[in-house]
């Protein structure tokens, strides 16, 4: 790529082009005339861009929070939910590389605005199935009205009664952290919104809620998953409005006029009253610009530090994407928490820890002016200590709930040999029960039964939303109390030690999230400083593309496929095909979920070690060459600064490019 095109590649750095044949800004314009319009328009752009980041992060965070709700609503397995989650990234693949390369030559505010419109419409479309499908249905052996009428869940062979089906439903410092901070706040609100919507019934506004006989703690409960997508879509549409009012270029701040390094920002932030000599590459046609595409790509992948860091980040993001996608599900299944509470603790505790870690990493890098090798060490160290601490989560699981015929036998023995008739026993042999139904009942013996019918219950009463079953022939067999035992609708609670384990899990999870995120900014700086300045914008585009293609899309899919292998009880749709999983093996789920995360994290650590090794090797050799040249000739401080700017950043042990933190 020729040197005249450098100014068209880098995004949002500090400096700008110098006017040709005109006096400086200090003599041409007064401070008042220069500063006011520039600052106001820059603040509008910064605020609008921050709002876009918030809207996008809100939608992505909310998508993660609705995984279990969508799974139950549409009765689909985790593997298919993973495909849905991964498809959220597919739209980026069509444009991200070309936007990162050609976007600098076009009207960037309008491009961003168009992207917001597409994002908003797409988010609204996600909610549309709710309005075209029938209302959510679940089965209950209970009358509609409050009563003490006895009905028989156990349908004896001489009994012709059928179950009742119920239908339900300083200014530079402020600008440096602003956009990224808002991008982290977005997922917090996304998960909190998911927690709120999970408490609302899925068909709220379409059914009489007085007729709903289940609560958010019931395993059949489905929250208003669609409501958050409507809110997120509207926010994205509103975020597009300011960009259609912004000009193609903005005035340049006077405080930046003396900067001498080249920057693509100069093509976006410049003074309209000054004539500039525009480089030839800026006026080149699309085909002419495309000629440099493949050479630039070859240049990037020929950089061993960049390539290895790209591989390490991709594998680590596989670990993180899979972990975050199924974390609400893991909390629900492992610790017996509701969807609402799972989303609430993630949004209120975990994500702020990530934000604090990213902020702390940036502070450390800036305060101590850490070199590129130091950044690589900090990135590696955070990964090593984070995943070592992550190992302790293997010991913080809860045992399987006692479920008759699945995790324990009807006589209380463990383990159970799994087969299709395991749910049946002599105690319920006279009942005409369906093995496909999942309407859990908690017996007074502390054992959960797949349904009241399979528990052999003869009668039941209802008061409000509370249903009590009596004369359950299977309840209490192990204690020789068969015949007069009772039970209540819903699963039994986990053992007494599970709430304490959940508390320990939250503490370790927060600390781990903080430590892993400490390496975020050092890794980002390492990425920027290991490549040529004119390729930074393109390198960031390729990096983002790789993360989305090789991590954002496949990770939720294969995590979901492996998690499905731990299912003990599958549901079935009315058409007879297999639906979503009703009960997981807690031990198998924990080992798959944590083990896969740990394995991917370990692989990324080894690649990070290779990055540091190559970086040190190149760093030492180039530092010697740099010292030799410096001893051979004396240059002025300003010329030395310009040479350092245009040379390989690996030559600069203490170089701190403030422009890179402004990307």
């Amino acid at each position: 790529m020729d040197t005249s095109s450098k100014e068209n590649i880098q995004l949002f750095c500090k400096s700008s082009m110098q006017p040709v044949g005109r006096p400086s800004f200090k003599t041409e314009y007064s401070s008042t005339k220069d500063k006011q319009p520039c600052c106001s328009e820059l603040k509008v752009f910064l605020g609008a861009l921050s709002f876009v980041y918030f809207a996008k992060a809100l939608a992505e965070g909310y998508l993660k929070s609705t995984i279990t709700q969508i799974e139950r609503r549409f009765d689909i397995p985790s593997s298919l939910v993973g495909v849905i989650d991964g498809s959220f990234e597919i739209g980026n693949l069509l444009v991200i590389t070309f936007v990162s390369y050609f976007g600098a030559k076009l009207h960037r505010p309008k491009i961003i605005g168009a992207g917001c419109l597409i994002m908003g419409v797409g988010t609204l479309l996600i909610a549309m199935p709710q309005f075209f499908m029938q209302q959510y249905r679940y089965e209950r052996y209970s009358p509609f009205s409050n009563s003490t009428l006895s009905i028989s869940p156990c349908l004896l062979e001489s009994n012709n009664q059928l179950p009742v089906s119920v239908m339900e439903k300083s200014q530079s410092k402020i600008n440096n952290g602003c956009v990224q901070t808002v991008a982290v706040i977005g997922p917090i609100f996304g998960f909190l919104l998911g927690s709120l919507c999970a408490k609302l019934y899925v068909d709220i506004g379409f059914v009489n809620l007085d007729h709903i006989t289940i609560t958010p703690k019931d395993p059949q409960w489905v929250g208003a998953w669609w409501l958050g997508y409507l809110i997120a879509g509207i926010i994205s549409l509103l975020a597009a409005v300011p960009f259609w009012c912004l000009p193609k270029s903005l005035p340049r701040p006077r405080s930046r006029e003396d900067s001498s390094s080249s920057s693509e920002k100069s093509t976006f932030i410049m003074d309209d009253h000054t004539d500039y000599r525009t480089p030839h590459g800026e006026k080149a046609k699309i085909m002419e610009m495309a000629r440099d595409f493949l050479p630039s790509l070859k240049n990037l992948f020929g950089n061993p530090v960049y390539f290895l860091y790209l591989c390490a980040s991709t594998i680590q993001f596989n670990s993180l994407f899979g972990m975050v996608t199924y974390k609400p599900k893991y909390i629900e299944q492992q610790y017996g928490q509701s969807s609402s509470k799972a989303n609430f603790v993630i949004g209120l505790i975990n994500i702020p820890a990530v934000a604090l870690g990213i902020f702390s990493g940036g502070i450390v890098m800036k305060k101590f002016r850490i070199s590129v090798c130091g950044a690589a060490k900090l990135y590696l160290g955070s990964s090593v200590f984070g995943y070592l601490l992550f190992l302790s989560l293997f010991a913080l699981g809860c045992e399987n709930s006692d479920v008759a015929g699945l995790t324990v036998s009807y006589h209380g023995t463990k383990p159970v040999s799994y087969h299709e008739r395991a749910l049946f026993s002599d105690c319920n042999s006279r009942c005409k029960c369906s093995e496909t139904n999942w309407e859990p009942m908690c017996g007074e013996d502390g054992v959960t039964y797949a349904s009241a019918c399979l528990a052999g219950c003869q009668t039941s009463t209802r008061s409000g939303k509370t249903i009590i079953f009596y004369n359950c022939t299977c309840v209490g067999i192990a204690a020789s109390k068969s015949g007069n035992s009772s039970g209540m609708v819903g699963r039994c609670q986990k053992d007494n030690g599970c709430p304490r384990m959940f508390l320990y899990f939250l503490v370790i999870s927060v600390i781990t999230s903080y430590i892993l995120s400490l390496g975020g900014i050092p890794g980002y700086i390492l990425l920027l400083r290991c490549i040529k300045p004119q390729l930074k914008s393109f390198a960031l585009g390729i990096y983002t593309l790789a993360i989305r293609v090789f991590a954002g899309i496949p990770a939720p899919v294969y995590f979901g496929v492996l998690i499905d292998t731990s299912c003990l009880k599958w549901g079935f749709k009315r058409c007879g095909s297999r639906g979503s999983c009703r009960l997981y093996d807690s031990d198998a789920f924990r080992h798959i979920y944590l083990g896969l995360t740990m394995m991917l994290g370990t692989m990324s650590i080894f690649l990070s070690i290779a990055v540091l090794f190559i970086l040190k090797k190149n760093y030492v050799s180039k530092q010697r060459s740099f010292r030799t040249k410096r001893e051979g000739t004396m240059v002025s401080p300003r010329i030395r600064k310009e040479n350092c700017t245009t040379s390989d950043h690996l030559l600069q042990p203490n170089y701190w490019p403030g422009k890179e933190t402004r990307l």
Side-chain angles (χ1 to χ4, degrees), residues 7 10 13-19 25-26 252-266 276 638 641-642 645 655 658-659 662:
E7 298 180 357
Q10 289 179 270
C13 297
K14 290 197 301 184
S15 61
S16 60
M17 298 161 50
Q18 291 296 323
F25 287 107
K26 293 181 180 178
R252 179 179 51 187
R254 182 183 175 186
S255 60
R256 310 268 176 93
E257 68 189 37
D258 294 328
S259 179
S260 58
S261 59
S262 62
S263 170
E264 185 190 79
K265 186 178 180 181
S266 61
Y276 288 85
R638 179 167 183 176
K641 180 179 179 181
E642 293 175 354
T645 302
Y655 172 66
K659 63 178 179 294
R662 290 176 170 82

Side-chain angles (χ1 to χ4, degrees), residues 444-647:
E444 64 179 29
D445 57 351
V447 177
T448 299
Y449 297 84
S451 68
C453 180
L454 289 170
C457 299
Q458 305 296 322
T459 59
S460 68
T461 60
R462 174 190 169 194
S463 177
K465 293 186 177 182
T466 302
I467 303 175
I468 302 178
F469 302 96
Y470 299 99
N471 300 328
C472 303
T473 57
C474 294
V475 177
I477 289 182
S480 302
K481 297 192 301 182
S482 176
N484 297 317
S485 300
S486 61
M488 295 182 61
V489 67
R491 289 189 197 178
C492 296
Q493 294 294 323
K494 293 270 188 176
D495 57 85
N496 294 332
C498 200
R500 185 175 67 256
M501 287 293 185
F502 179 55
L503 180 60
Y504 294 157
F505 169 81
L506 289 181
V507 173
I508 298 298
S509 179
V510 167
I511 298 176
T512 302
S513 300
Y514 175 79
I515 294 177
L516 287 175
S517 60
L518 273 175
I521 295 299
Y524 191 72
I525 297 299
L526 170 63
L527 170 68
L528 294 175
R529 291 169 65 178
C530 73
I531 54 179
K532 296 179 180 179
Q534 66 267 26
L535 294 177
K536 284 181 179 176
S537 174
F538 189 44
L540 288 174
I542 295 297
Y543 176 81
T544 306
L545 177 67
I547 295 300
R548 294 183 183 278
V549 173
F550 300 111
I553 294 177
V557 177
Y558 64 76
F559 262 80
V561 170
L562 294 176
I563 287 174
D564 280 341
T565 62
S566 65
C567 183
L568 296 178
K569 177 69 172 70
W570 287 99
F572 289 87
K573 301 178 182 178
R574 287 178 172 81
C575 61
S577 61
R578 194 174 76 173
S580 60
C581 184
R582 307 304 195 210
L583 180 69
Y584 289 92
D585 184 334
S586 295
D587 293 333
F589 193 165
R590 181 171 69 255
H591 293 152
I592 291 173
Y593 175 75
L594 300 180
L596 188 56
T597 302
M598 189 67 198
M599 182 185 70
L600 293 169
T602 304
M603 293 172 60
S604 71
I605 288 175
F606 282 112
L607 287 172
S608 299
I609 293 175
V611 170
L612 183 59
F613 176 78
I614 295 179
L615 196 62
K616 279 189 172 182
K617 184 178 178 181
N618 293 339
Y619 176 80
V620 172
S621 62
K622 292 189 176 182
Q623 188 180 36
R624 290 175 180 173
S625 175
F626 179 71
R627 287 176 178 175
T628 302
K629 292 180 180 179
R630 185 175 60 180
E631 291 173 357
T633 180
M634 298 297 296
V635 293
S636 66
R638 179 167 183 176
I639 295 178
R640 185 183 298 116
K641 180 179 179 181
E642 293 175 354
N643 289 338
C644 291
T645 302
T646 57
S647 65

Side-chain angles (χ1 to χ4, degrees), residues 372-438:
V372 63
C373 285
K377 291 178 182 178
L378 186 56
Y379 173 76
L380 175 61
S382 67
S383 297
V384 171
F385 286 108
Y387 284 109
L388 283 177
L389 188 60
F390 189 82
L391 279 173
S392 63
L393 295 181
F394 281 93
L396 300 179
C398 296
E399 296 293 330
N400 280 317
S401 299
D402 290 340
V403 181
L406 294 175
T407 61
V408 296
S409 69
Y410 281 88
H411 296 279
T413 59
K414 299 180 182 180
V416 176
S417 58
Y418 302 113
H419 55 87
E420 60 183 17
R421 299 295 298 175
L423 289 173
F424 297 99
S425 179
D426 293 338
C427 61
N428 57 27
S429 59
R430 297 181 60 200
C431 303
K432 297 193 298 184
C433 304
S434 171
E435 63 181 356
T436 62
N437 286 350
W438 178 250

Side-chain angles (χ1 to χ4, degrees), residues 300-309 611 614 618:
L300 282 180
F301 288 114
N303 186 327
V305 176
Y306 176 81
F307 181 74
L308 285 175
Y309 177 77
V611 170
I614 295 179
N618 293 339

Side-chain angles (χ1 to χ4, degrees), residues 58-59 62 119-131 193 197 206 224-238:
L58 172 70
Y62 185 76
M119 182 172 66
V121 173
T123 307
L124 292 175
L125 288 176
I126 299 177
M128 289 301 103
Q130 172 67 20
F131 302 98
L193 180 62
C197 293
F206 301 96
W225 62 272
W226 51 273
L227 185 59
Y229 288 110
L230 295 181
I231 297 174
I234 293 174
I235 292 176
S236 297
L237 293 177
L238 292 176

Side-chain angles (χ1 to χ4, degrees), residues 327 331 345-355 505-506 509-510 513:
K327 195 166 191 175
I331 293 176
V345 296
I346 292 175
L348 201 62
I349 299 177
N350 271 100
I351 298 181
V354 173
F505 169 81
L506 289 181
S509 179
V510 167
S513 300

